[in-house]
């Protein structure tokens, strides 16, 4: 009976150590899971930011093209006005002096 009592204590000790090891592994897994979750959320936030910036770049490009077109039209209009006006006509200064 005495040897049986001793052997049950020996059997319990590894089980207790195994439970402690399992708790440590579980805690480590929980920390890893939280870190992965945090990283995934950070990646998703960065993706949304990139999408927003990309949309903004597209809008600015579109606005730029529109303004370029308007500038060309205005430039042509001004050029036409200048050519039609006698104020902007080129004069030959040599002819006037003679």
């Amino acid at each position: 009976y005495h040897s049986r009592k001793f052997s049950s204590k020996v059997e319990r000790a590894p089980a207790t150590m195994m439970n402690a090891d399992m708790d440590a592994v579980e805690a480590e897994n929980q920390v890893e899971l939280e870190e992965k979750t945090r990283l995934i959320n950070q990646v998703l936030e960065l993706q949304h930011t990139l999408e927003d910036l990309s949309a903004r770049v597209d809008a600015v490009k579109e606005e730029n093209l529109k303004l370029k077109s308007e500038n060309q039209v205005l430039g042509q209009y001004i050029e036409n006005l200048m050519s039609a006006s006698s104020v902007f006509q080129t004069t030959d200064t040599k002819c006037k002096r003679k």
Side-chain angles (χ1 to χ4, degrees), residues 9-24:
K9 285 183 182 177
V10 170
E11 289 172 5
R12 280 190 213 139
T16 303
M17 287 185 353
M18 198 162 84
N19 285 341
D21 289 343
M22 288 175 63
D23 289 344

Side-chain angles (χ1 to χ4, degrees), residues 28-76:
E28 188 176 318
N29 286 344
Q30 182 65 30
V31 168
E32 285 181 15
L33 180 63
E34 289 171 0
E35 179 67 10
K36 285 179 183 177
T37 302
R38 187 187 68 76
L39 289 173
I40 288 170
N41 288 335
Q42 189 176 13
V43 166
L44 290 173
E45 184 179 333
L46 290 171
Q47 282 179 337
H48 292 303
T49 301
L50 180 60
E51 288 171 358
D52 292 344
L53 289 172
S54 181
R56 177 71 180 130
V57 166
D58 289 343
V60 168
K61 282 182 179 179
E62 188 176 315
E63 181 69 16
N64 186 36
L65 287 173
K66 180 181 168 188
L67 291 172
K68 273 185 179 180
S69 176
E70 288 177 8
N71 281 345
Q72 286 177 341
V73 169
L74 287 172
Q76 187 64 46

